[in-house]
Every structure is written in C-alpha cells, then in structure tokens.
Amino acid sequence: MAQSLYTSLPKSTTIFTSSTSPSCTLIFILTLCIISLYSLHYHNQQTPPPSPSTTAQHPPLISTFLNSASNYTISNYLRHLTLHPHLAGTSPSSAAADYVKTNFESLHLQTHVTNYSVLLSYHLHSSLTAHFSNSSTAVPLPLTEPGLGSDSGVVKPYHAYSPSGSAYGKAVYVHHGREEDYRALASAGVDVKGCVAVAKRGGGMSRNAVVVKAAEKGVVAVVMYTENNDRARTYYGGGVERGTVLDGVGDPLTPGWGASINGDVERLGMEDDEVLKRFPTVASMPISAETAELILGSLEGARVPHWWRDGDLFGNFNRVGPGPTFLNFTYQGENKMATIQNVFAVIKGSEEADRFVVLGNHRDAWTYGAVDPNSGTAALIDIARRYSLMMRLGWNPQRTIVLCSWDAEEFGMIGSTEWVEQNLVNLGSKAVAYINVDCAVQGPGFFAAATPQLDDILVVVTKKVTDPDSLDSTLFEKWRTSTDGPLIQRLSDVFSDFAPFLHHAGVPSIDLYYGKEFPVYHTAFDSYEWMVKYGDPFFHRHMAVAGVWGLLGLHMADDPILPFNYLSYATQLQNYTHSLSKLLEGDVSVHPITSAIQELEDAAKQVEDEMKKLRVEESEGHVLVLRRRMLNDRLMLAERGFLDTEGIRGRQWFKHLVYGPASESKLGFFPGVVDAMYGSSTSRGEKEEAKKKQEIIIQHEIWRVARAIQRAASALKGELT
C-alpha cells in the first residue's frame, strides 16, 4: 500500500497533462450516444429472458461461495507468495506474476498478462554518519534492519525517486514537516536553512510533501522515521519504512497515456517540465526509530513545542536543535526503465459481456509483502478458486468479472494507472464498479471506504459474512459497534489502486481491509512469520475479507438491477455543503451546490420509484431486459458526471470534483474548493482587493462542483434537456 500522496501537498506541486483533458468529455458523449442507440435499435423488439444461472435466481450459489472458503488454501497461497522479496521490475517479481497467472490458469479461467515499460527507481548506495559533540570521530548509523544477511534479497531501505546527493549539516527536528511545524520552529528562533531535517512520518503528510516542504525551507537533506509503539519495538526493533517520494500516480514519462511495451509510445524526456515537477529536489532516506532516537537525543537548542509531544520517543529528547550534532548524508539511486506485469483473469458475462465488474489488488512488495499486499493477493486467488467452483456447478455471471493483479503499486500506483489510461474509453462507458483490496489483513477490525451510492450494498454484504473474531455475530454487527466516527469512509485520499479508477475514470469504487495499521509496514519484517504470529494466525480474517470482496463482486455482476443508491450520495453531498458553508461564514454563496444537490436528489427518487416498478413488473412475468439495462447504464454512468475535463486546479490528471486530493486540508471533499480556500489564503495585512480575488476563485470552484453534480443528475435521469 502506498501511503497517501496528497493529504497535504505544497502549493507549488502540480500534475498537468494536457493530453488527457478531452477524455472525460468524450466518455460522457459516448455514453449518451450508447443509451440513444439502444432506444433506436431495440424499440419494440422482444428480448430473450434472462439466464436462470445467476446468483439472484439461485441464492444457494451464494452459500456455495461462502461455504467453500478455506483458511488452509489462503495460507498456502500467502506462503508461496512471500518466499522471496519481490520488488517491482525484478526477477522475483516476475516469478510472483507467474505464480498468480499459473493459479488463474489452473482454475480454467481466461487469463492474460499485460506488460508495460515504465521508469522505476532503485537503491545503489547510501550512508549516514553522525558527528556528536561528545565524540571526535564520526559514528556510522545503521540504515537497515538488524539480522539481515546480504543473501536475503531484501532491498536496503530507500526512497524511490529521491535524487542522488550528499549533504552535511546540523541535525534539526521538524516534527511531521508541515507548514505549521516550520512556523513553530521559526517562532522559537530556529533557522533550518542548511540543516539535515529529521522528520517523523504522519501528520497527514506524504513522503513527497515532507521533502518538498523541506526544500522550500532551505533544508539540504531529509531523514524520516516511523515511530512504533513499545510492543512493536520490543519484537521488531530496527524496522525501516521504505517508500516512494514521487509526486502523483503512474509512470512519470507517460502522463495520461498507457506506457505500453508494444508499438510506438510517446515518452517524455527526463528534463521535460512535466516530468521534473514530479521529482523532489532534495535527497531523502528512511531511518529506524532507534536511529532517530540516537540523533534526537543528542540535540540541543530550542525546546520541543508542547503540542509535538505525541509519541513514544518524546521522553528521550526535549530539544529540536539545530545541532550540535552534524549529519553526513549520502544517497545514490538509479532511475531506469523496467518491465512490469499486470495479470488478469476474465469471467465473461452470459448476458452483458460488455459490462465489467473489476476486482483488483497489487502484487509487488517492498520486501516479503505478507501484509502489504499479498494478504490481498492470496484472497484474490481464493476468490478466483471459489468462482471457478461455482462455474463448475453451472453458474456464469450476468456481467463480466475481471480479476486484476497489479504491478508497481508501491512506486505510485503505476500498473493500475497505466491500464486505466490505456483503457479509459472502454472503462468510462462499460465499467460497473471497481472493488479494491490492498492489505487484506493488517490486524483486528474491519474497515471500508466507498463512493456513497455503494453504502447500502456494503451493509447488505457484511451482514452475510460471519465476524472472524466473534463467531456468534455477523461482521456488520461487530463493525458497527466497534467503529468510532462514520462507519464507511470516503476515497478522497490517494493511497491505493482505486485512485485511477475513481479520480481519473469516474468508476464507483470500494476499498476494503482488516486492521487500521501494523508495525512492520514496508519493513523487512512484513513476512509470513509475522502474519502467522500476530496478524491473523488462523487466517479467519483473510476469509472474511475474501467473503465480503467476492460477494460484492457477485452482487455487482448478477443483481438484475445494480445495487446503487444515489439518495445516499445526495445526503452525503448535503452534509459536505453544510460543513463548507460553516467554513465560508457567508462570504461566498454555496447556493449553486445546494440547488444542484436538489436536482440529484429528485433524480435519485425517480430512479428508486423506477426500480420498484421494474421489480414488480418482472415478478409478474414481464420481459423487461432492455429497460433494465438502460436503467443500469444510468446508475453506472452517473458517477462519471462528477468528472471535469479541466480537473483539479494544478493537478489536472485528477478529474473528480467531489473526491480527490486537496493541497492544504483534511476535509476530504470538494478538493478544488478547498484548494481555493486554503491555497490562496491571505494574511490579515493584505489588501481587501486580494481577499475579493480569492472569493471570486472560490465562487468559481463552487460553480464547477455544482455543474458536476448537475451532470451526474442528468446522467441519472437519462434524458436530454
């Protein structure tokens, strides 16, 4: 799982791809044409009745899916997948792809592999030495996990796409590296220019955001650590979190189009502005909490601000520096072209083969990947096994199911992004939903995030699956009683493979996982041994996630009417608008959005009535396949209405105006409006003229959101004005 890339990005960060701008308009026009062609070609034409072999007509097949779960098979899949580290673009990674492919083929599923040639980043050399004030000699600091032999195959901890470089300067602690953290340092008289910053992961900051902000402040290099709790440090002390510092998603050299390995493909040069802006200008590397403690404990200077005192290391230091400790930092990496492999299994739909239900998980890992991501890979293969069993019993889905094993997610969702970009028109007009599982099991507790029209079906499905930690209750009951805050989260952040589907293609999406966090994230200790000892000893949580994931796929593929509820979406948008209105304090009108939401709500109510009428008529024996398909297309395509061809200002690749990454806020909705509010804020001393200009920009972004909601309402109605 790639950590969030966009929770808090600096204003200067942009992702611009002019070549992708027309795609959303083209998709929208094509889909309206498709609906019109149905009406012209099939008017008064009788359609054959639906196949009797769907799960909707045969509920026992759902029981077959649930009852055929096997913790032994999932455990076995995971053990094989984690025998060796398998970093994307390497031979072990190719072997992992072959393992997934072989399993799909052994289940007699239609299987294929799509390769891409992309720019990946690898470690060559790194070192970090400290010059402490009480020592006359330089002290080498450990940069890798203890106990790993040179023959382990585990890559030394590094930040992919970090520039190579050396730096020498005083150490300074910058907390999470946020703007507010640097303000706190400045108010204490701390000058960070020319220093090597020590940053703690978290605070809503991606690795890229930390390094970019540090460069803005004059820092010459950055080391980052992840703080673990006492139990984690007892069992897995010395773990170092690898990761990427690339800005954005997808291959840097092919922004907006697929990096196909076959045929002629345009690739931008490394000196192209669109490429350069995705790379940080200051070198960085990860270190362990133990190494960070050595450095931080030696600092003098200003005291740590009291509101930073939130971690296990705080008791061991209370000064931020700079110095007197000096750090000598060296990192050398290599960016080079590599082949990545996406593996697919396709189960053709019996009635609507041109409608795609997509289930995906990435396969590549920084090290062994038992949690991240191969707990999900093992669950995906097991779903394939269970679907195959159902097919042998006579089942075929009504719509096509596509099982996807992505590559190079850890470098920035590259495999999934290249595939979405390459298949954008087909996905935009034919994809029903995307259901993602990255880390299937990290620990206890079920978590789900979704676009709001899928809330109801998530509840329905979790009521059918037994909770793995309380066998006398359903997963839903345990989930509901143990969750603080909203039951279902949203998908504004960018941390896994749902991002290209939702944020770029406008496909309704779900993300599922067990466990909020785990202490061996991106370290050499993310192994099968850790999973068996701590994560899921009996693999019951794996079975639960696979159960929810697979059942969602069955409902999306087989429910005669798609289980989408846009009244939930309208309600969620109303809540967002209420929160936005309070933040704006009446300076800017949100009326355009509230008016558009009313249109969406009216359309959603009409659709609900239409659904009920169709179900009654079908129960009376009427053949209504065409009407049902047209209704389903409207349900499927309404999400595309939230896309805007211009995208989010400064990050045009991200087209969704309700959910997407915002630069300066954790609000999680209307990213363009939020950017206008916080990214262009004015200080008290600036002129009223500047404030008015900002309000004009905010109002424009509000109108853009309103028009997006109107487009969604129009698609849901399916009628021309």
Side-chain angles (χ1 to χ4, degrees):
M1 177 185 289
Q3 287 253 339
S4 165
L5 300 176
Y6 293 101
T7 307
S8 180
L9 290 180
K11 290 177 282 186
S12 61
T13 303
T14 60
I15 304 173
F16 177 75
T17 306
S18 59
S19 60
T20 63
S21 295
S23 57
C24 301
T25 303
L26 177 61
I27 291 169
F28 202 68
I29 292 172
L30 282 173
T31 53
L32 288 176
C33 292
I34 290 168
I35 294 174
S36 300
L37 285 171
Y38 287 157
S39 300
L40 290 171
H41 183 70
Y42 289 106
H43 185 63
N44 292 329
Q45 181 175 331
Q46 188 169 358
T47 315
S51 166
S53 61
T54 66
T55 50
Q57 280 81 16
H58 287 275
L61 284 175
I62 290 182
S63 297
T64 299
F65 176 81
L66 291 174
N67 293 336
S68 60
S70 167
N71 57 345
Y72 172 77
T73 57
I74 295 179
S75 170
N76 192 48
Y77 294 144
L78 186 63
R79 185 175 63 83
H80 280 281
L81 286 161
T82 57
L83 288 174
H84 306 284
H86 42 285
L87 187 64
T90 66
S91 295
S93 181
S94 181
D98 287 340
Y99 178 77
V100 174
K101 177 176 176 286
T102 299
N103 273 280
F104 284 165
E105 290 173 335
S106 71
L107 297 168
H108 307 290
L109 301 178
Q110 179 184 324
T111 305
H112 69 277
V113 177
T114 302
N115 295 330
Y116 296 97
S117 181
V118 300
L119 185 73
L120 298 184
S121 175
Y122 299 100
H123 173 278
L124 292 178
H125 169 75
S126 59
S127 65
L128 184 68
T129 58
H131 293 259
F132 297 111
S133 60
N134 60 358
S135 174
S136 59
T137 60
V139 179
L141 299 177
L143 292 178
T144 192
E145 289 90 352
L148 289 179
S150 58
D151 59 346
S152 68
V154 175
V155 66
K156 197 169 183 177
Y158 76 110
H159 284 161
Y161 304 105
S162 168
S164 298
S166 297
Y168 182 77
K170 289 182 178 180
V172 62
Y173 180 53
V174 298
H175 197 39
H176 296 306
R178 301 166 297 191
E179 179 64 35
E180 64 196 75
D181 296 326
Y182 284 104
R183 283 199 301 266
L185 290 172
S187 66
V190 175
D191 184 3
V192 301
K193 289 180 181 178
C195 294
V196 176
V198 182
K200 180 169 69 172
R201 293 283 292 118
M205 293 287 280
S206 70
R207 299 179 195 87
N208 172 268
V210 172
V211 180
V212 170
K213 181 61 68 177
E216 289 179 5
K217 302 301 180 182
V219 167
V220 295
V222 181
V223 292
M224 298 184 207
Y225 72 96
T226 303
E227 196 163 59
N228 294 322
N229 57 36
D230 289 336
R231 178 176 178 270
R233 296 181 71 194
T234 299
Y235 291 102
Y236 293 100
V240 188
E241 180 189 306
R242 297 146 180 84
T244 181
V245 290
L246 186 70
D247 185 18
V249 300
D251 174 37
L253 305 185
T254 58
W257 60 93
S260 174
I261 202 168
N262 301 315
D264 294 330
V265 177
E266 178 188 9
R267 300 186 197 280
L268 303 182
M270 286 296 296
E271 299 307 314
D272 191 289
D273 288 344
E274 298 305 313
V275 176
L276 288 175
K277 66 177 60 174
R278 294 190 58 186
F279 291 79
T281 57
V282 165
S284 65
M285 70 172 70
I287 59 175
S288 68
E290 288 73 16
T291 297
E293 188 173 353
L294 284 174
I295 299 169
L296 298 176
S298 69
L299 297 182
E300 298 177 7
R303 289 188 176 275
V304 175
H306 67 86
W307 57 90
W308 290 8
R309 303 175 185 183
D310 58 354
D312 294 324
L313 290 187
F314 174 71
N316 300 319
F317 74 100
N318 58 13
R319 304 283 178 170
V320 299
T325 298
F326 280 80
L327 294 178
N328 194 347
F329 171 110
T330 298
Y331 173 73
Q332 184 179 0
E334 178 185 27
N335 297 331
K336 66 179 184 179
M337 301 304 294
T339 298
I340 62 172
Q341 302 166 287
N342 292 337
V343 183
F344 303 93
V346 181
I347 305 173
K348 285 285 186 181
S350 59
E351 294 182 24
E352 298 182 272
D354 62 339
R355 293 293 177 265
F356 307 129
V357 176
V358 187
L359 281 65
N361 155 268
H362 80 92
R363 184 187 63 255
D364 65 296
W366 286 111
T367 62
Y368 297 99
V371 173
D372 184 8
N374 298 134
S375 58
T377 313
L380 184 70
I381 300 173
D382 197 62
I383 288 171
R385 179 187 64 81
R386 293 196 243 175
Y387 283 174
S388 177
L389 173 62
M390 291 168 61
M391 292 170 70
R392 293 199 298 273
L393 295 175
W395 168 80
N396 267 301
Q398 178 177 318
R399 305 175 188 96
T400 295
I401 296 175
V402 185
L403 306 178
C404 313
S405 176
W406 309 118
D407 203 353
E409 186 269 358
E410 297 293 6
F411 288 84
M413 280 65 76
I414 292 180
S416 58
T417 298
E418 298 313 302
W419 190 76
V420 168
E421 290 175 341
Q422 189 176 38
N423 295 279
L424 188 59
V425 172
N426 276 326
L427 290 171
S429 58
K430 301 174 183 178
V432 173
Y434 177 67
I435 312 169
N436 187 70
V437 171
D438 192 319
C439 306
V441 180
Q442 304 177 156
F446 179 73
F447 294 86
T451 46
Q453 76 274 53
L454 301 177
D455 288 357
D456 287 359
I457 190 59
L458 256 174
V459 170
V460 167
V461 165
T462 53
K463 288 179 178 179
K464 297 178 181 178
V465 177
T466 301
D467 184 80
D469 300 313
S470 303
L471 299 181
D472 58 344
S473 67
T474 66
L475 191 154
F476 173 76
E477 291 168 339
K478 184 68 176 294
W479 179 29
R480 180 185 58 186
T481 57
S482 60
T483 300
D484 295 326
L487 188 67
I488 300 172
Q489 304 298 317
R490 299 301 173 214
L491 295 169
S492 275
D493 227 335
V494 183
F495 56 82
S496 193
D497 292 300
F498 61 80
F501 284 90
L502 177 61
H503 299 151
H504 193 66
V507 177
S509 299
I510 295 175
D511 186 55
L512 309 169
Y513 54 101
Y514 240 91
K516 191 172 184 179
E517 57 188 20
F518 64 109
V520 296
Y521 175 71
H522 286 190
T523 75
F525 303 125
D526 183 7
S527 64
Y528 183 79
E529 178 188 20
W530 185 89
M531 181 63 74
V532 171
K533 284 186 176 181
Y534 305 108
D536 191 15
F538 300 105
F539 286 82
H540 291 163
R541 293 168 185 160
H542 283 77
M543 292 167 60
V545 172
V548 174
W549 197 8
L551 283 184
L552 284 169
L554 292 178
H555 277 281
M556 299 296 176
D558 275 344
D559 281 10
I561 299 175
L562 291 176
F564 291 6
N565 180 1
Y566 279 92
L567 287 173
S568 296
Y569 221 129
T571 299
Q572 184 71 84
L573 291 171
Q574 287 169 347
N575 293 337
Y576 293 158
T577 307
H578 178 68
S579 298
L580 179 64
S581 180
K582 291 198 320 189
L583 289 171
L584 291 170
E585 298 180 340
D587 293 333
V588 179
S589 173
V590 297
H591 177 72
I593 296 180
T594 57
S595 178
I597 293 171
Q598 187 60 55
E599 289 185 42
L600 180 63
E601 185 176 4
D602 291 343
K605 288 177 180 177
Q606 292 174 21
V607 165
E608 287 291 303
D609 292 340
E610 191 175 343
M611 287 178 176
K612 292 175 184 177
K613 185 177 179 181
L614 271 176
R615 291 187 180 107
V616 170
E617 291 183 30
E618 289 191 324
S619 69
E620 295 172 350
H622 297 285
V623 178
L624 305 167
V625 175
L626 176 59
R627 283 174 56 191
R628 189 174 69 218
R629 179 171 166 102
M630 292 177 66
L631 171 60
N632 283 336
D633 279 352
R634 286 150 52 199
L635 291 166
M636 176 183 73
L637 298 170
E639 186 75 43
R640 286 19 159 216
F642 297 119
L643 301 178
D644 185 277
T645 55
E646 295 180 3
I648 301 172
R649 186 190 297 263
R651 294 182 303 286
Q652 283 85 348
W653 186 91
F654 293 92
K655 307 293 184 185
H656 206 290
L657 296 191
V658 176
Y659 296 115
S663 297
E664 301 284 345
S665 170
K666 301 177 185 178
L667 287 181
F669 56 85
F670 304 159
V673 178
V674 170
D675 280 355
M677 292 168 59
Y678 295 98
S680 305
S681 59
T682 57
S683 65
R684 188 180 303 173
E686 290 182 297
K687 297 179 181 178
E688 187 67 22
E689 192 176 312
K691 182 182 178 184
K692 287 181 179 179
K693 183 178 179 181
Q694 182 188 15
E695 289 175 355
I696 291 171
I697 296 172
I698 295 171
Q699 191 69 70
H700 173 65
E701 290 297 330
I702 286 174
W703 275 111
R704 290 182 71 206
V705 171
R707 289 191 288 271
I709 297 171
Q710 288 173 333
R711 288 193 296 270
S714 176
L716 201 55
K717 292 174 184 175
E719 299 172 355
L720 300 175
T721 56

